[in-house]
PDB file of all heavy atoms in Angstrom:
ATOM      1  N   ALA A 910       3.001  21.496 -14.465  1.00 68.00           N
ATOM      2  CA  ALA A 910       3.550  21.380 -15.813  1.00 68.00           C
ATOM      3  C   ALA A 910       5.034  21.718 -15.758  1.00 68.00           C
ATOM      4  O   ALA A 910       5.445  22.671 -15.095  1.00 68.00           O
ATOM      5  CB  ALA A 910       2.811  22.320 -16.753  1.00 68.00           C
ATOM      6  N   GLN A 911       5.846  20.955 -16.456  1.00 84.00           N
ATOM      7  CA  GLN A 911       7.286  21.176 -16.452  1.00 84.00           C
ATOM      8  C   GLN A 911       7.706  21.823 -17.760  1.00 84.00           C
ATOM      9  O   GLN A 911       7.131  21.576 -18.812  1.00 84.00           O
ATOM     10  CB  GLN A 911       8.010  19.842 -16.265  1.00 84.00           C
ATOM     11  CG  GLN A 911       7.604  19.141 -14.977  1.00 84.00           C
ATOM     12  CD  GLN A 911       8.307  17.813 -14.796  1.00 84.00           C
ATOM     13  OE1 GLN A 911       9.516  17.752 -14.617  1.00 84.00           O
ATOM     14  NE2 GLN A 911       7.551  16.741 -14.854  1.00 84.00           N
ATOM     15  N   HIS A 912       8.725  22.676 -17.677  1.00 90.00           N
ATOM     16  CA  HIS A 912       9.196  23.384 -18.860  1.00 90.00           C
ATOM     17  C   HIS A 912      10.719  23.381 -18.887  1.00 90.00           C
ATOM     18  O   HIS A 912      11.370  23.385 -17.835  1.00 90.00           O
ATOM     19  CB  HIS A 912       8.693  24.831 -18.873  1.00 90.00           C
ATOM     20  CG  HIS A 912       7.203  24.963 -18.886  1.00 90.00           C
ATOM     21  ND1 HIS A 912       6.445  24.774 -20.019  1.00 90.00           N
ATOM     22  CD2 HIS A 912       6.323  25.245 -17.887  1.00 90.00           C
ATOM     23  CE1 HIS A 912       5.172  24.947 -19.730  1.00 90.00           C
ATOM     24  NE2 HIS A 912       5.068  25.214 -18.447  1.00 90.00           N
ATOM     25  N   VAL A 913      11.266  23.382 -20.089  1.00 94.00           N
ATOM     26  CA  VAL A 913      12.721  23.482 -20.219  1.00 94.00           C
ATOM     27  C   VAL A 913      13.133  24.931 -19.975  1.00 94.00           C
ATOM     28  O   VAL A 913      12.315  25.854 -20.107  1.00 94.00           O
ATOM     29  CB  VAL A 913      13.200  23.035 -21.625  1.00 94.00           C
ATOM     30  CG1 VAL A 913      12.812  21.601 -21.907  1.00 94.00           C
ATOM     31  CG2 VAL A 913      12.629  23.962 -22.703  1.00 94.00           C
ATOM     32  N   THR A 914      14.399  25.121 -19.629  1.00 94.00           N
ATOM     33  CA  THR A 914      14.933  26.477 -19.491  1.00 94.00           C
ATOM     34  C   THR A 914      15.129  27.042 -20.895  1.00 94.00           C
ATOM     35  O   THR A 914      15.822  26.432 -21.713  1.00 94.00           O
ATOM     36  CB  THR A 914      16.276  26.462 -18.753  1.00 94.00           C
ATOM     37  OG1 THR A 914      16.084  25.854 -17.456  1.00 94.00           O
ATOM     38  CG2 THR A 914      16.817  27.867 -18.594  1.00 94.00           C
ATOM     39  N   PRO A 915      14.503  28.169 -21.223  1.00 94.00           N
ATOM     40  CA  PRO A 915      14.619  28.704 -22.589  1.00 94.00           C
ATOM     41  C   PRO A 915      16.037  29.160 -22.914  1.00 94.00           C
ATOM     42  O   PRO A 915      16.802  29.535 -22.023  1.00 94.00           O
ATOM     43  CB  PRO A 915      13.637  29.881 -22.590  1.00 94.00           C
ATOM     44  CG  PRO A 915      13.530  30.279 -21.141  1.00 94.00           C
ATOM     45  CD  PRO A 915      13.654  29.004 -20.363  1.00 94.00           C
ATOM     46  N   LEU A 916      16.370  29.103 -24.192  1.00 95.00           N
ATOM     47  CA  LEU A 916      17.676  29.589 -24.637  1.00 95.00           C
ATOM     48  C   LEU A 916      17.704  31.116 -24.541  1.00 95.00           C
ATOM     49  O   LEU A 916      16.728  31.789 -24.879  1.00 95.00           O
ATOM     50  CB  LEU A 916      17.932  29.173 -26.093  1.00 95.00           C
ATOM     51  CG  LEU A 916      18.167  27.679 -26.337  1.00 95.00           C
ATOM     52  CD1 LEU A 916      18.239  27.399 -27.835  1.00 95.00           C
ATOM     53  CD2 LEU A 916      19.454  27.221 -25.666  1.00 95.00           C
ATOM     54  N   SER A 917      18.821  31.645 -24.083  1.00 93.00           N
ATOM     55  CA  SER A 917      18.956  33.109 -23.965  1.00 93.00           C
ATOM     56  C   SER A 917      20.264  33.569 -24.597  1.00 93.00           C
ATOM     57  O   SER A 917      20.912  34.498 -24.119  1.00 93.00           O
ATOM     58  CB  SER A 917      18.885  33.527 -22.492  1.00 93.00           C
ATOM     59  OG  SER A 917      19.910  32.887 -21.740  1.00 93.00           O
ATOM     60  N   ILE A 918      20.662  32.884 -25.662  1.00 94.00           N
ATOM     61  CA  ILE A 918      21.924  33.201 -26.349  1.00 94.00           C
ATOM     62  C   ILE A 918      21.631  34.089 -27.552  1.00 94.00           C
ATOM     63  O   ILE A 918      20.776  33.766 -28.380  1.00 94.00           O
ATOM     64  CB  ILE A 918      22.636  31.919 -26.813  1.00 94.00           C
ATOM     65  CG1 ILE A 918      22.892  31.003 -25.614  1.00 94.00           C
ATOM     66  CG2 ILE A 918      23.940  32.257 -27.523  1.00 94.00           C
ATOM     67  CD1 ILE A 918      23.369  29.615 -25.998  1.00 94.00           C
ATOM     68  N   THR A 919      22.340  35.200 -27.643  1.00 92.00           N
ATOM     69  CA  THR A 919      22.190  36.105 -28.786  1.00 92.00           C
ATOM     70  C   THR A 919      23.525  36.225 -29.498  1.00 92.00           C
ATOM     71  O   THR A 919      24.512  36.711 -28.923  1.00 92.00           O
ATOM     72  CB  THR A 919      21.721  37.502 -28.326  1.00 92.00           C
ATOM     73  OG1 THR A 919      20.483  37.386 -27.627  1.00 92.00           O
ATOM     74  CG2 THR A 919      21.531  38.415 -29.535  1.00 92.00           C
ATOM     75  N   LEU A 920      23.559  35.751 -30.729  1.00 92.00           N
ATOM     76  CA  LEU A 920      24.777  35.869 -31.528  1.00 92.00           C
ATOM     77  C   LEU A 920      24.778  37.230 -32.228  1.00 92.00           C
ATOM     78  O   LEU A 920      23.817  37.580 -32.911  1.00 92.00           O
ATOM     79  CB  LEU A 920      24.848  34.754 -32.578  1.00 92.00           C
ATOM     80  CG  LEU A 920      24.901  33.317 -32.044  1.00 92.00           C
ATOM     81  CD1 LEU A 920      25.015  32.330 -33.201  1.00 92.00           C
ATOM     82  CD2 LEU A 920      26.057  33.121 -31.076  1.00 92.00           C
ATOM     83  N   GLU A 921      25.849  37.962 -32.025  1.00 85.00           N
ATOM     84  CA  GLU A 921      25.945  39.284 -32.646  1.00 85.00           C
ATOM     85  C   GLU A 921      26.040  39.149 -34.171  1.00 85.00           C
ATOM     86  O   GLU A 921      26.786  38.317 -34.686  1.00 85.00           O
ATOM     87  CB  GLU A 921      27.176  40.015 -32.114  1.00 85.00           C
ATOM     88  CG  GLU A 921      27.292  41.446 -32.603  1.00 85.00           C
ATOM     89  CD  GLU A 921      28.498  42.166 -32.036  1.00 85.00           C
ATOM     90  OE1 GLU A 921      29.147  41.608 -31.137  1.00 85.00           O
ATOM     91  OE2 GLU A 921      28.792  43.278 -32.495  1.00 85.00           O
ATOM     92  N   ASP A 922      25.243  39.953 -34.861  1.00 88.00           N
ATOM     93  CA  ASP A 922      25.261  39.944 -36.326  1.00 88.00           C
ATOM     94  C   ASP A 922      26.415  40.822 -36.810  1.00 88.00           C
ATOM     95  O   ASP A 922      26.255  42.014 -37.060  1.00 88.00           O
ATOM     96  CB  ASP A 922      23.923  40.460 -36.871  1.00 88.00           C
ATOM     97  CG  ASP A 922      23.856  40.358 -38.390  1.00 88.00           C
ATOM     98  OD1 ASP A 922      24.672  39.609 -38.970  1.00 88.00           O
ATOM     99  OD2 ASP A 922      22.998  41.036 -38.988  1.00 88.00           O
ATOM    100  N   VAL A 923      27.583  40.215 -36.921  1.00 93.00           N
ATOM    101  CA  VAL A 923      28.789  40.962 -37.274  1.00 93.00           C
ATOM    102  C   VAL A 923      28.836  41.212 -38.783  1.00 93.00           C
ATOM    103  O   VAL A 923      28.731  40.284 -39.582  1.00 93.00           O
ATOM    104  CB  VAL A 923      30.060  40.187 -36.843  1.00 93.00           C
ATOM    105  CG1 VAL A 923      31.313  40.983 -37.202  1.00 93.00           C
ATOM    106  CG2 VAL A 923      30.009  39.910 -35.350  1.00 93.00           C
ATOM    107  N   LYS A 924      28.982  42.479 -39.154  1.00 93.00           N
ATOM    108  CA  LYS A 924      29.097  42.869 -40.564  1.00 93.00           C
ATOM    109  C   LYS A 924      30.583  42.969 -40.924  1.00 93.00           C
ATOM    110  O   LYS A 924      31.191  44.039 -40.841  1.00 93.00           O
ATOM    111  CB  LYS A 924      28.396  44.206 -40.801  1.00 93.00           C
ATOM    112  CG  LYS A 924      26.953  44.278 -40.325  1.00 93.00           C
ATOM    113  CD  LYS A 924      26.058  43.331 -41.109  1.00 93.00           C
ATOM    114  CE  LYS A 924      24.599  43.494 -40.685  1.00 93.00           C
ATOM    115  NZ  LYS A 924      23.686  42.557 -41.379  1.00 93.00           N
ATOM    116  N   PHE A 925      31.156  41.841 -41.290  1.00 93.00           N
ATOM    117  CA  PHE A 925      32.593  41.815 -41.565  1.00 93.00           C
ATOM    118  C   PHE A 925      32.966  42.728 -42.728  1.00 93.00           C
ATOM    119  O   PHE A 925      34.018  43.383 -42.697  1.00 93.00           O
ATOM    120  CB  PHE A 925      33.041  40.380 -41.862  1.00 93.00           C
ATOM    121  CG  PHE A 925      33.088  39.498 -40.644  1.00 93.00           C
ATOM    122  CD1 PHE A 925      32.129  38.527 -40.428  1.00 93.00           C
ATOM    123  CD2 PHE A 925      34.099  39.654 -39.699  1.00 93.00           C
ATOM    124  CE1 PHE A 925      32.171  37.720 -39.307  1.00 93.00           C
ATOM    125  CE2 PHE A 925      34.160  38.845 -38.581  1.00 93.00           C
ATOM    126  CZ  PHE A 925      33.189  37.881 -38.376  1.00 93.00           C
ATOM    127  N   ASP A 926      32.148  42.790 -43.770  1.00 92.00           N
ATOM    128  CA  ASP A 926      32.449  43.651 -44.921  1.00 92.00           C
ATOM    129  C   ASP A 926      32.510  45.102 -44.487  1.00 92.00           C
ATOM    130  O   ASP A 926      33.419  45.848 -44.905  1.00 92.00           O
ATOM    131  CB  ASP A 926      31.385  43.479 -46.011  1.00 92.00           C
ATOM    132  CG  ASP A 926      31.443  42.102 -46.651  1.00 92.00           C
ATOM    133  OD1 ASP A 926      32.517  41.448 -46.555  1.00 92.00           O
ATOM    134  OD2 ASP A 926      30.438  41.684 -47.238  1.00 92.00           O
ATOM    135  N   SER A 927      31.592  45.518 -43.658  1.00 93.00           N
ATOM    136  CA  SER A 927      31.565  46.900 -43.179  1.00 93.00           C
ATOM    137  C   SER A 927      32.785  47.202 -42.321  1.00 93.00           C
ATOM    138  O   SER A 927      33.390  48.282 -42.426  1.00 93.00           O
ATOM    139  CB  SER A 927      30.294  47.155 -42.365  1.00 93.00           C
ATOM    140  OG  SER A 927      29.145  46.998 -43.170  1.00 93.00           O
ATOM    141  N   ILE A 928      33.171  46.257 -41.473  1.00 92.00           N
ATOM    142  CA  ILE A 928      34.349  46.441 -40.611  1.00 92.00           C
ATOM    143  C   ILE A 928      35.604  46.578 -41.460  1.00 92.00           C
ATOM    144  O   ILE A 928      36.468  47.438 -41.206  1.00 92.00           O
ATOM    145  CB  ILE A 928      34.486  45.248 -39.634  1.00 92.00           C
ATOM    146  CG1 ILE A 928      33.340  45.239 -38.635  1.00 92.00           C
ATOM    147  CG2 ILE A 928      35.836  45.318 -38.908  1.00 92.00           C
ATOM    148  CD1 ILE A 928      33.327  44.034 -37.713  1.00 92.00           C
ATOM    149  N   ARG A 929      35.708  45.720 -42.475  1.00 90.00           N
ATOM    150  CA  ARG A 929      36.885  45.762 -43.349  1.00 90.00           C
ATOM    151  C   ARG A 929      36.976  47.095 -44.090  1.00 90.00           C
ATOM    152  O   ARG A 929      38.053  47.699 -44.195  1.00 90.00           O
ATOM    153  CB  ARG A 929      36.831  44.613 -44.347  1.00 90.00           C
ATOM    154  CG  ARG A 929      38.158  44.408 -45.080  1.00 90.00           C
ATOM    155  CD  ARG A 929      38.122  43.357 -46.164  1.00 90.00           C
ATOM    156  NE  ARG A 929      37.198  42.259 -45.900  1.00 90.00           N
ATOM    157  CZ  ARG A 929      36.025  42.132 -46.528  1.00 90.00           C
ATOM    158  NH1 ARG A 929      35.635  43.043 -47.409  1.00 90.00           N
ATOM    159  NH2 ARG A 929      35.245  41.092 -46.247  1.00 90.00           N
ATOM    160  N   ILE A 930      35.862  47.572 -44.597  1.00 90.00           N
ATOM    161  CA  ILE A 930      35.836  48.850 -45.327  1.00 90.00           C
ATOM    162  C   ILE A 930      36.141  50.013 -44.380  1.00 90.00           C
ATOM    163  O   ILE A 930      36.900  50.932 -44.714  1.00 90.00           O
ATOM    164  CB  ILE A 930      34.461  49.058 -45.995  1.00 90.00           C
ATOM    165  CG1 ILE A 930      34.263  48.022 -47.105  1.00 90.00           C
ATOM    166  CG2 ILE A 930      34.328  50.468 -46.548  1.00 90.00           C
ATOM    167  CD1 ILE A 930      32.871  48.009 -47.692  1.00 90.00           C
TER     168      ILE A 930
END
Side-chain angles (χ1 to χ4, degrees):
Q911 302 179 66
H912 300 282
V913 300
T914 302
L916 290 173
S917 59
I918 303 170
T919 302
L920 298 182
E921 185 178 351
D922 185 17
V923 181
K924 307 295 184 182
F925 287 106
D926 292 339
S927 297
I928 293 175
R929 193 185 328 105
I930 293 172

